[in-house]
Amino acid sequence: MWTYVGRRLLLAIPTLLGASIIVFAMVHLAPGDPIAAVMPAESSKAEIEATKRAYGFDKPLPVQYLVWLGRVAQGDLGRSIATRRAVILDVRDALANSLVLALSSSLLAFAGGVGLGLLAAFRQGRSLDKVASMVAVVGVSIPHYWAGIILIIVFSVQLNWLPAMGAADGGGPIEYLRHMALPTVALALIPLGVITRVVRSAALDILSQEFVLALRAKGLAGRRVFTHVVKNAAPQIFTVLGLQFGFQLGGSVLVEAVFSWPGTGYLLNLAIFQRDIPVLQGVILVLATFFVLLNLVVDLLQTLVDPRIVRH
Amino acid sequence: MRRVVILLLALVLSPSLAGVALAQGTLRIGMTASDIPYTGGQTDNGFEGFRFVGYQIYEPLIAWDLTRGDRLAPLVPGLAESWEARKDQPTKWVFKLRKGVTFHDGSPFNADAVVFSYESIKKKDAPHFDPYGSGQVSFRLASLTGITKIDDHTVEFETNKPTSFVPYQVCYMLIVSPTQWQKFKDWRKFAEQPSGTGPFRVTRFVPRERLELEANKTYWDAKRRPKIDKLVLLPLPEPTTRLAALRSGQVDWVEVPPPDAIPQLKGAGFQIVMNSYPHNWTHTLRLDKEPWSNKLVRKAANYAIDRVGICKSLLNDTCIPATGVVYKGHPWFGKPKEIYEYNPAKAKELLKQAGFDGTRHPAKAVQLISTSGSGQMLPLAMNELIQKNLKEVGIDVDLQPVEWNTLLTRWRAGFKTPENEGLNAWNISWNFLEPWSGFGRFFHSKSVVPVSVNTMPYINPEADKLIDEAERTFDVAKQNEILARLHEVVVDDAPWIFVVHDQNPRALSTKVKGFVQPQSWFVDLTAVTVR
């Protein structure tokens, strides 16, 4: 198995390199540059060109890319052009906030999704199934930033129960939880829907197999059958969970923008408008690494759960 | 298990004690900036940076008087008590500095600090040169070429030519504490623990999230020591988030509430404050190509726009019609011959005179606009109305929306690049705080791209003469008169489609009292109290 892990990690390197080249190219394709984006609107072209030269942005793109790559190899992600802070510090703080949000919304989606999905499968055709399926469809269909805005209107503005924005830096754990509540719910809606549907169909698939009929004919109690069904459906469910967690982490841009939640999505959003290339490169690299590792972990977990799957 | 869940819910939903018992006199402001403006001296994020960070932590030698709203904010003594150009050598200006002023770190303010601050912007080989800060402000100090310390409380600036515009440049140079900088010898570290002479000092700085300041109790102007204890600045670039933060009580003051929300805010008891300030929202026209090369067509466009409609229906009265570069009541307004108002019949008549019959031969133009941006107000909605107005008189306008930074980049390059060749105008809002930003950079023949931003290009010897004359006139009242005459010339030439002047709406909670909105881009927060 360790050769499998080793090979996967080695294969990750070209993936990460490819991701960083694509980001670098795309940011430079966009008109404007990091210097023009942070200088005053009234500065003239001559002034901006002078500042660009001072920062080394007039060098050819491949040279700029290789310089960056060289620094990364030494563990230096560079400095943000807008704040002059080390990128690694910004990324670390943002990643922590995004992870918290992704984990809590994934937990919410997981608990809700598995519960609803199994409920729907075991009560197939009956009204509970219909309700659960409807919740799933609604969850998948609602844009989560819209849901976020509605949650703000209802719970922040009208009822004044929960705060509308930010992460209440320095307010303590209870304040942090309060600030986290609405974005978590907003972010959990889509995975909730997806997981419900996947769990439902996976469970139904297992339930329709002959061995389940055989188990019941043998007189096995409902709860034991349930356990067998869940164990058999688990690999599929894990794959989806892993993917959804990955999406939570990378796809939280809009929810973080609506709530001003200081995570990686918010940081990316800001960096794109500021054309802050070191920050963009740094965040994407870290996120891409995370995805690669996450996929690896999910694959390994599957082998643990299902002995039929063998990795070479 | 159920009890645990209920307990958790209760904890999460109960308003936190910290929120209820706020420090008495804390003002929390939601800014439109997407990040904390640079605190290391020469601030960024444009004039919002000066407004909430630059002019609160630091001060210039010549400052703006922001205490009244009934007249344009004038320049008054700041850290300098007096200044004048030497009669024998008009390229040298002597500034007498204020005595008895200290920086937040306790060190004294004196000529060394002024020289240090100047060199941090202008002297590239100085160890204390700040490349970032310099990039932000250097172009505003274009005429200043040198500085000399005469004694501890006197400095002398040197300029590249005799110019009366020096005070309008010096007001942007913020004075930083050399003593504090020497502790770190690094501008980034200095920005985390800055030291200026201003009415507020920084206590806590969380990058991208919040800036906390406290009142400077030893501020040199005893009449303007802040009444609030604490000031908190939050970047909230999303208008809906800003609105929600105000409505839910997380902030006490927001900049630029969405215009649609204003009636709702008023109904809920919030204060909406507005005032004129040096802002205009226009279409800057390309003058070397049809259709805008024809003065009659330009005038026709100016008569075709329903400015009152834009302000009332689209923007809920948060703007006023613009009939020139500056607004009526501004010292530079003068007495223009034409008063552009909504008169489609006159517009059609002018177009016919110009040879454009509305049915057979419409005038066509391509205008580059933005989707959002600082000072751009509601560009898409406003431009669609303008497009409709122009179509009605027979001018076909094709709008091309791009992202704000993209628009600025293309504008700086001018019309004559391959990318911009097909364009006839840009829609960018301008400020006119000084003669340079109001007129010099646009209407002088020497300001043509790439030297500056006269992209049209507007070449008029009469305008050149008036701008040069204004620059030679050191008496402010006479200078204003000359600029008023210049304004009359420009209004008559109509090189822009004048649309509206923003009124800088702000929404304040009822707890905020004592704020006077000046006719300025900046504010004085020292008289404000919170409950």
Side-chain angles (χ1 to χ4, degrees):
Chain A
M1 193 193 62
W2 291 110
T3 32
Y4 176 72
V5 174
R7 210 179 57 237
R8 282 288 295 266
L9 286 173
L10 260 162
L11 282 171
I13 296 176
T15 311
L16 296 174
L17 268 174
S20 69
I21 291 176
I22 291 175
V23 170
F24 195 80
M26 273 174 26
V27 173
H28 279 96
L29 277 173
D33 56 70
I35 300 303
V38 296
M39 282 188 77
E42 302 105 314
S43 4
S44 76
K45 194 150 188 269
E47 280 131 14
I48 294 184
E49 293 301 317
T51 313
K52 265 169 84 168
R53 272 193 299 277
Y55 273 85
F57 279 103
D58 54 333
K59 299 208 177 62
L61 284 186
V63 171
Q64 290 187 43
Y65 178 74
L66 287 170
V67 167
W68 175 79
L69 200 60
R71 288 208 198 102
V72 169
Q74 297 172 42
D76 173 17
L77 284 179
R79 285 191 180 280
S80 155
I81 293 167
T83 65
R84 267 106 34 244
R85 251 167 66 101
V87 171
I88 191 72
L89 289 176
D90 280 341
V91 172
R92 183 198 62 190
D93 294 341
L95 192 60
N97 283 319
S98 278
L99 271 173
V100 164
L101 200 59
L103 271 168
S104 57
S105 70
S106 289
L107 242 101
L108 186 61
F110 173 58
V114 168
L116 278 173
L118 289 174
L119 195 68
F122 278 87
R123 300 278 178 268
Q124 189 198 6
R126 311 223 306 255
S127 45
L128 269 167
D129 177 16
K130 293 199 171 67
V131 169
S133 297
M134 205 177 65
V135 170
V137 167
V138 167
V140 176
S141 318
I142 292 186
H144 50 234
Y145 57 87
W146 182 83
I149 294 176
I150 299 294
L151 285 169
I152 291 178
I153 293 175
V154 172
F155 290 99
S156 262
V157 177
Q158 306 282 19
L159 294 172
N160 227 289
W161 283 357
L162 292 165
M165 47 127 293
D169 185 81
I174 298 296
E175 269 306 298
Y176 193 76
L177 277 173
R178 291 186 69 231
H179 281 81
M180 206 174 79
L182 293 179
T184 300
V185 171
L187 203 53
L189 288 176
I190 294 177
L192 177 73
V194 172
I195 292 173
T196 305
R197 307 265 332 146
V198 168
V199 167
R200 181 181 176 276
S201 70
L204 281 176
D205 183 49
I206 306 291
L207 278 169
S208 67
Q209 290 184 14
E210 289 186 336
F211 81 91
V212 172
L213 190 60
L215 285 176
R216 287 209 172 112
K218 274 171 65 175
L220 206 53
R223 191 165 286 182
R224 298 288 301 276
V225 174
F226 181 81
T227 319
H228 280 289
V229 170
V230 169
K231 274 182 73 174
N232 276 280
Q236 284 184 56
I237 299 179
F238 271 124
T239 313
V240 169
L241 282 179
L243 276 173
Q244 287 301 316
F245 180 67
F247 285 144
Q248 302 288 67
L249 201 53
S252 56
V253 184
L254 296 171
V255 168
E256 289 184 11
V258 166
F259 287 96
S260 286
W261 180 263
T264 49
Y266 190 68
L267 189 57
L268 274 174
N269 192 12
L270 190 56
I272 288 170
F273 283 111
Q274 292 177 330
R275 310 280 198 274
D276 201 339
I277 291 168
V279 172
L280 282 170
Q281 293 285 89
V283 174
I284 300 289
L285 190 66
V286 169
L287 282 177
T289 310
F290 217 86
F291 259 89
V292 166
L293 290 172
L294 184 66
N295 280 328
L296 182 57
V297 164
V298 166
D299 283 349
L300 289 175
L301 269 174
Q302 285 186 323
T303 62
L304 284 174
V305 167
D306 188 345
R308 291 172 300 179
I309 301 174
V310 175
R311 307 281 184 207
H312 296 292
Chain B
M1 179 62 188
R2 248 178 61 212
R3 266 182 284 177
V4 171
V5 171
I6 292 175
L7 184 63
L8 258 166
L9 267 171
L11 271 173
V12 166
L13 292 179
S14 62
S16 78
L17 293 169
V20 167
L22 265 179
Q24 194 64 302
T26 297
L27 178 63
R28 298 160 303 171
I29 298 182
M31 312 182 286
T32 66
S34 47
D35 200 350
I36 308 285
Y38 179 52
T39 47
Q42 316 311 326
T43 189
D44 63 6
N45 271 288
F47 287 145
E48 198 172 24
F50 273 102
R51 182 185 309 145
F52 291 123
V53 171
Y55 283 146
Q56 306 299 341
I57 304 175
Y58 302 99
E59 294 181 290
L61 297 181
I62 301 176
W64 304 93
D65 176 7
L66 304 167
T67 53
R68 288 166 55 178
D70 57 342
R71 50 120 165 87
L72 183 71
L75 288 174
V76 293
L79 286 176
E81 287 179 338
S82 67
W83 57 90
E84 64 172 2
R86 279 172 55 171
K87 297 282 187 297
D88 55 332
Q89 287 185 72
T91 57
K92 290 195 161 48
W93 286 70
V94 178
F95 280 70
K96 295 235 183 288
L97 306 176
R98 201 172 291 277
K99 300 188 171 73
V101 180
T102 51
F103 286 102
H104 298 149
D105 61 86
S107 62
F109 161 71
N110 53 29
D112 291 325
V114 180
V115 173
F116 179 88
S117 305
Y118 176 85
E119 289 177 345
S120 74
I121 301 167
K122 290 274 199 174
K123 192 152 181 258
K124 290 192 171 39
D125 56 356
H128 45 279
F129 179 66
D130 179 5
Y132 188 75
S134 173
Q136 295 300 318
V137 84
S138 183
F139 71 97
R140 297 196 199 275
L141 311 176
S143 307
L144 305 179
T145 52
I147 188 172
T148 321
K149 170 180 169 176
I150 305 292
D151 61 48
D152 273 343
H153 295 282
T154 317
V155 294
E156 185 179 88
F157 282 102
E158 183 162 359
T159 59
N160 53 10
K161 59 173 175 168
T163 166
S164 62
F165 295 161
V166 164
Y168 283 114
Q169 301 187 7
V170 167
C171 63
Y172 292 116
M173 184 176 100
L174 297 170
I175 309 298
V176 302
S177 162
T179 312
Q180 182 80 346
W181 188 86
Q182 295 295 356
K183 287 192 194 141
F184 308 111
K185 297 212 196 317
D186 177 282
W187 283 102
R188 199 178 38 83
K189 296 206 180 84
F190 174 80
E192 284 163 16
Q193 293 183 57
S195 173
T197 58
F200 289 94
R201 88 176 72 212
V202 172
T203 51
R204 193 152 159 261
F205 173 53
V206 183
R208 304 182 208 272
E209 279 179 60
R210 67 199 285 130
L211 185 66
E212 292 183 11
L213 305 105
E214 65 176 7
N216 176 9
K217 298 289 184 211
T218 55
Y219 183 55
W220 59 265
D221 187 353
K223 289 193 303 262
R224 283 183 54 236
R225 287 195 184 133
K227 297 202 164 65
I228 48 176
D229 301 312
K230 201 166 149 194
L231 176 64
V232 179
L233 301 173
L234 300 157
L236 295 177
E238 286 291 312
T240 35
T241 311
R242 242 181 359 258
L243 187 62
L246 181 69
R247 294 290 311 265
S248 63
Q250 273 187 280
V251 297
D252 312 298
W253 164 321
V254 293
E255 297 284 280
V256 193
D260 313 338
I262 296 210
Q264 174 213 116
L265 282 171
K266 281 191 184 147
F270 288 92
Q271 310 172 60
I272 306 291
V273 289
M274 290 195 282
N275 205 343
S276 295
Y277 71 115
H279 166 282
N280 54 31
W281 193 102
T282 68
H283 276 227
T284 304
L285 305 174
R286 181 172 186 175
L287 302 176
D288 61 359
K289 218 169 98 157
E290 285 220 325
W292 305 127
S293 49
N294 189 321
K295 186 159 146 175
L296 290 167
V297 180
R298 300 200 298 266
K299 281 188 187 296
N302 272 293
Y303 279 107
I305 309 291
D306 181 10
R307 299 168 179 82
V308 172
I310 292 176
C311 289
K312 282 216 170 323
S313 334
L314 276 184
L315 292 163
N316 274 319
D317 283 323
T318 57
C319 67
I320 54 174
T323 56
V325 174
V326 310
Y327 52 83
K328 194 140 178 262
H330 190 284
W332 303 336
F333 189 75
K335 293 188 173 60
K337 281 185 291 190
E338 309 241 24
I339 309 287
Y340 298 115
E341 46 175 20
Y342 184 47
N343 193 338
K346 183 159 182 183
K348 285 188 190 148
E349 179 55 47
L350 286 164
L351 274 173
K352 238 175 40 200
Q353 281 175 36
F356 288 99
D357 182 305
T359 50
R360 280 177 306 140
H361 180 188
K364 280 187 193 297
V366 178
Q367 328 273 84
L368 195 66
I369 67 175
S370 73
T371 50
S372 64
S374 171
Q376 295 289 84
M377 305 170 77
L378 293 183
L380 295 173
M382 289 161 79
N383 276 303
E384 277 171 11
L385 190 47
I386 289 170
Q387 185 184 46
K388 182 159 162 282
N389 285 158
L390 292 174
K391 181 116 197 193
E392 274 159 13
V393 304
I395 303 176
D396 273 350
V397 156
D398 175 27
L399 300 171
Q400 284 186 8
V402 294
E403 186 249 328
W404 174 232
N405 271 313
T406 307
L407 176 57
L408 287 176
T409 306
R410 288 178 68 171
W411 159 69
R412 283 190 196 107
F415 283 115
K416 294 201 179 36
T417 67
E419 203 190 6
N420 296 334
E421 193 46 55
L423 297 175
N424 299 97
W426 349 81
N427 168 223
I428 305 179
S429 60
W430 309 121
N431 77 75
F432 44 91
L433 272 98
E434 340 90 31
W436 171 254
S437 56
F439 300 107
R441 60 178 167 154
F442 296 126
F443 303 116
H444 201 291
S445 57
K446 292 210 184 95
S447 298
V448 171
V449 173
V451 171
S452 187
V453 289
N454 180 356
T455 56
M456 300 171 267
Y458 182 80
I459 316 283
N460 183 344
E462 201 188 344
D464 284 1
K465 209 175 87 188
L466 285 167
I467 295 174
D468 293 338
E469 199 189 329
E471 196 168 7
R472 285 193 304 270
T473 309
F474 287 73
D475 176 280
V476 175
K478 291 206 182 76
Q479 191 189 83
N480 285 344
E481 270 173 40
I482 297 169
L483 293 170
R485 290 214 303 278
L486 172 64
H487 188 239
E488 289 161 12
V489 170
V490 170
V491 170
D492 182 63
D493 267 339
W496 297 351
I497 303 180
F498 306 111
V499 186
V500 294
H501 299 294
D502 179 40
Q503 293 288 91
N504 203 358
R506 307 193 148 98
L508 277 45
S509 91
T510 45
K511 299 189 290 181
V512 178
K513 303 244 181 292
F515 174 62
V516 172
Q517 177 141 330
Q519 287 185 27
S520 170
W521 284 75
F522 315 118
V523 296
D524 184 329
L525 295 174
T526 58
V528 174
T529 54
V530 180
R531 200 186 302 152

